[in-house]
Amino acid sequence: MNRRPDYDELKARLIEELFDQVFRFCPQLRGKIDHTELATPLSFNHFLGRDRGDFMSLAASPTRFAIRDLGAHSGVPNLFFSGQDVARPAS
C-alpha cells in the first residue's frame, strides 16, 4: 500500500496521542509496551476489499437511525447489550 510519507507521519502522531491518553490514566504501563500497530479506515477497507461504506459498522447517517428494527436482545433477563449499533432494545 504505497501511501505518501505524510500518511505514515499521521499514523505515528495518532499512536503518540493515543498513548498519551493511555499513560494519563495508566502511568504504570509506560515503558512496558513492546509493539504497537495502528490501522486506519484506509487499511481496513484495503484488506477487506471494500471501496465504499464503513469498515466496522453501519454508517452514522439519518437512514441508519431510522432503522426501526435495529436492536439486540438475548432472551436472558436483565442482560443488556451496548454499543454504537444497539440503538434500542428489540421489541
Side-chain angles (χ1 to χ4, degrees):
M1 298 185 326
N2 300 312
R3 305 265 184 242
R4 297 183 342 212
D6 59 339
Y7 178 78
D8 290 329
E9 292 168 12
L10 171 65
K11 285 178 66 170
R13 202 167 63 244
L14 288 171
I15 289 170
E16 183 178 338
E17 290 175 15
L18 289 167
F19 275 124
D20 285 346
Q21 292 302 311
V22 168
F23 298 142
R24 179 176 159 213
F25 293 100
C26 303
Q28 70 275 17
L29 295 179
R30 192 175 297 278
K32 296 182 179 177
I33 297 173
D34 293 326
H35 175 77
T36 63
E37 189 169 332
L38 178 87
T40 67
L42 289 175
S43 301
F44 278 97
N45 287 339
H46 170 79
F47 289 112
L48 294 174
R50 312 240 354 221
D51 59 1
R52 60 189 171 109
D54 288 347
F55 64 97
M56 295 193 72
S57 67
L58 299 172
S61 67
T63 304
R64 172 212 186 241
F65 292 105
I67 299 172
R68 298 190 55 78
D69 295 329
L70 186 62
H73 69 283
S74 69
V76 176
N78 298 317
L79 176 62
F80 299 97
F81 293 98
S82 65
Q84 69 185 41
D85 289 328
V86 181
R88 67 178 132 265
S91 313

